[in-house]
Amino acid sequence: MATAVIMPRQGQSVESCVITSWNKKVGDSVKVGDVLFSYETDKSSFDEVSTVEGTMLAILREDGDDVPCLENVCVIGNEGEDISEFTASAAAEASAPEESVKEATATAEVTEKAPEAATGVLNVEKISPRAKLLAEKTNADLLKAVPTGPNGRIIERDVRTLLENGYTVSSAARDEYKSAVEGTGISGRVVTSDLEAKAPAAAPAQEAKATEPEYTDVPLSNVRKVIAKSMHASLSNMAQLTLNTSFDATKLQAIRASIKANGEKMGIGNITLNDMILFAVAKTVGGFKDINAHYLDDKNVIRYFSCVNLGIAVDTDRGLLVPTLMNADKMSLNELSKNAKAVITEAQSGNISPDKLRGATFTITNLGSLGIESFTPVINPPQTAILGVNNITKRIKEVNGEDVTYPAMGLSLTFDHRALDGAPAAKFLKALCANLENFDLLMIK
């Protein structure tokens, strides 16, 4: 019996996912545990593993498609099975009925073959809707496209390859452009005069240009799009102000050294300075309601939280992610350390659940390990503040009439002046510094 594979829902807040690559093609044998395709949300990436055995009978959506969750994306079963019940619904949802049916009826007789070369003749039935739309917007020269999609289709990435190589057609020449020619316009664009001249043999699209391109345009990833939108909204809509201070980290470093030396035999994990800062913030921010809050501009209200859900800014290969430690103020130092490391590892691996990337009431971003002495962190809306942690530098202070050096760790607090004033923000920083300088007392509160 044929089985449809659906686009999973990764978290309650996720409505759709983008297919990034297929590991199987129509006609391939499929075993339980085989990776069928890879996909991503706006924050994480995943592999979809088969739970059934059989043959890949149909691929209903292609690379780059943004597929609604729970929609059919492929069909697995036995050769010759009737799969019309799956292809009919897919055709309606994907707005490409002819393509879906053609792919659905392909069987294991399809053999693996290398991408077809550009033919110089355009077959409109061999172009995906996304590829056609992108070509129309950008004037890409489809006659020079090298199809890499299923069954020799031209898909979106093939159009992007054309644009990277500079293969375009002017708007004036497009209607009369029926056979591929070399373009003499700017950056190799085909213009009307090229259509009148005798067309030389078109250079294969897959061959690299003789000269190195001056630049490369890379489409924004989903994560970067989300970051860009959020940060622009943050700076555009908020009245942000940053306060900088520092504290004496002598005791903090001493306690950390003691835990490192004796923690294992006491059943305590590897507690880092970052863990200790997270712990101190979680215990401090709850006493400052304006800091542990959301400014809801659309409702003209400030939402104060009774618990501290701590966001941790994490640098990953896919961009900045902010996993959340829910109820961080209720955790012991050891518990917080373990939970923080777990969500940070998940974020860095790229497969963290989107549900773990929401709900933060206050965020910490640490650039101290990169040698940053002071910076202006940008608030993650609708939060009212964010704390930046800087590196440790040697400073001098007077003790009993003598100048002594001490390790000073910098802190940068950005707050939304719409939600609170400078004095409450400064008081929070002062209280946090006091707790960090007296970390041993903080742990027994």
Side-chain angles (χ1 to χ4, degrees), residues 282 285-286 292 304-310 326-330 359 361:
V285 74
N292 191 46
Y304 300 111
F305 292 89
S306 57
C307 58
V308 178
N309 299 329
L310 205 56
M326 306 301 288
N327 298 304
D329 54 323
K330 306 296 193 300
T361 60

Side-chain angles (χ1 to χ4, degrees), residues 23 69 147 184-185 399:
N23 288 57
C69 295
T184 60
V399 178

Side-chain angles (χ1 to χ4, degrees), residues 135-194:
E136 290 174 350
K137 290 181 177 179
T138 59
N139 285 329
D141 187 351
L142 288 175
L143 293 179
K144 295 188 179 77
V146 179
T148 63
N151 301 318
R153 275 198 309 170
I154 296 173
I155 59 177
E156 184 178 11
R157 68 181 173 208
D158 303 327
V159 178
R160 296 198 181 280
T161 299
L162 291 173
L163 298 175
E164 290 170 4
N165 291 327
Y167 293 122
T168 59
V169 183
S170 70
S171 299
R174 178 169 290 280
D175 291 341
E176 301 299 324
Y177 186 47
K178 306 299 181 184
S179 180
V181 298
E182 284 294 331
T184 60
I186 298 175
S187 300
R189 170 173 286 198
V190 175
V191 295
T192 52
S193 59
D194 298 324

Side-chain angles (χ1 to χ4, degrees), residues 274 277 364-369 372 375 387-391 409-412:
N274 190 60
I277 294 168
I364 299 177
T365 175
N366 192 337
L367 296 181
S369 63
I372 301 302
F375 68 108
L387 180 72
V389 181
N390 306 303
N391 69 341
M409 177 177 280
L411 300 174
S412 300

Side-chain angles (χ1 to χ4, degrees), residues 198-209:
K198 184 178 180 180
Q206 68 269 30
E207 291 183 4
K209 286 194 171 183

Side-chain angles (χ1 to χ4, degrees), residues 84-381:
S84 58
E85 61 175 305
F86 303 118
T87 57
S89 60
E93 293 167 342
S95 300
E98 294 182 6
E99 294 182 65
S100 297
V101 172
K102 287 178 182 179
E103 289 181 10
T105 55
T107 65
E109 297 176 1
V110 179
T111 56
E112 184 175 359
K113 56 184 178 179
E116 301 178 16
T119 63
V121 178
L122 189 60
N123 182 352
V124 293
E125 294 184 355
K126 288 282 190 175
I127 309 172
S128 75
R130 292 172 65 91
K132 184 178 180 181
L133 179 61
L134 179 60
E136 290 174 350
K137 290 181 177 179
T138 59
N139 285 329
D141 187 351
L142 288 175
L143 293 179
K144 295 188 179 77
V146 179
T148 63
N151 301 318
R153 275 198 309 170
I154 296 173
I155 59 177
E156 184 178 11
R157 68 181 173 208
D158 303 327
V159 178
R160 296 198 181 280
T161 299
L162 291 173
L163 298 175
E164 290 170 4
N165 291 327
Y167 293 122
T168 59
V169 183
S170 70
S171 299
R174 178 169 290 280
D175 291 341
E176 301 299 324
Y177 186 47
K178 306 299 181 184
S179 180
V181 298
E182 284 294 331
T184 60
I186 298 175
S187 300
R189 170 173 286 198
V190 175
V191 295
T192 52
S193 59
D194 298 324
L195 306 183
E196 300 169 359
K198 184 178 180 180
Q206 68 269 30
E207 291 183 4
K209 286 194 171 183
T211 58
E212 191 72 20
E214 295 181 8
Y215 58 86
T216 301
D217 290 335
V218 179
L220 293 177
S221 66
N222 284 343
V223 172
R224 181 50 54 190
K225 289 178 184 177
V226 172
I227 293 173
K229 182 178 179 180
S230 178
M231 293 300 96
H232 182 266
S234 175
L235 291 173
S236 300
N237 300 330
M238 291 186 182
Q240 299 192 26
L241 180 65
T242 302
L243 303 180
N244 296 292
T245 190
S246 65
F247 67 94
D248 186 342
T250 300
K251 186 174 290 187
L252 195 70
Q253 289 182 316
I255 294 174
R256 199 267 164 166
S258 177
I259 294 174
K260 185 177 181 180
N262 304 294
E264 185 175 352
K265 58 186 177 184
M266 297 177 65
I268 301 175
N270 177 30
I271 307 295
T272 65
L273 285 176
N274 190 60
D275 295 332
M276 299 170 79
I277 294 168
L278 293 174
F279 179 79
V281 170
K283 297 299 183 183
T284 306
V285 74
F288 294 83
K289 67 175 186 176
D290 293 329
I291 298 286
N292 191 46
H294 284 176
Y295 186 95
L296 305 179
D297 197 16
D298 56 334
K299 298 180 180 179
N300 290 316
V301 300
I302 299 179
R303 178 171 295 167
Y304 300 111
F305 292 89
S306 57
C307 58
V308 178
N309 299 329
L310 205 56
I312 307 171
V314 179
D315 178 35
T316 76
D317 292 338
R318 304 178 69 243
L320 180 69
L321 298 181
V322 186
T324 303
L325 283 184
M326 306 301 288
N327 298 304
D329 54 323
K330 306 296 193 300
M331 298 179 186
S332 68
L333 176 59
N334 200 36
E335 290 172 336
L336 187 147
S337 175
K338 290 179 180 178
N339 283 286
K341 288 180 176 62
V343 295
I344 289 172
T345 299
E346 286 184 57
Q348 291 172 335
S349 69
N351 57 12
I352 188 170
S353 168
D355 289 341
K356 295 183 179 180
L357 298 171
R358 52 199 298 266
T361 60
F362 183 81
T363 295
I364 299 177
T365 175
N366 192 337
L367 296 181
S369 63
L370 300 177
I372 301 302
E373 296 183 5
S374 178
F375 68 108
T376 303
V378 179
I379 299 172
N380 189 16

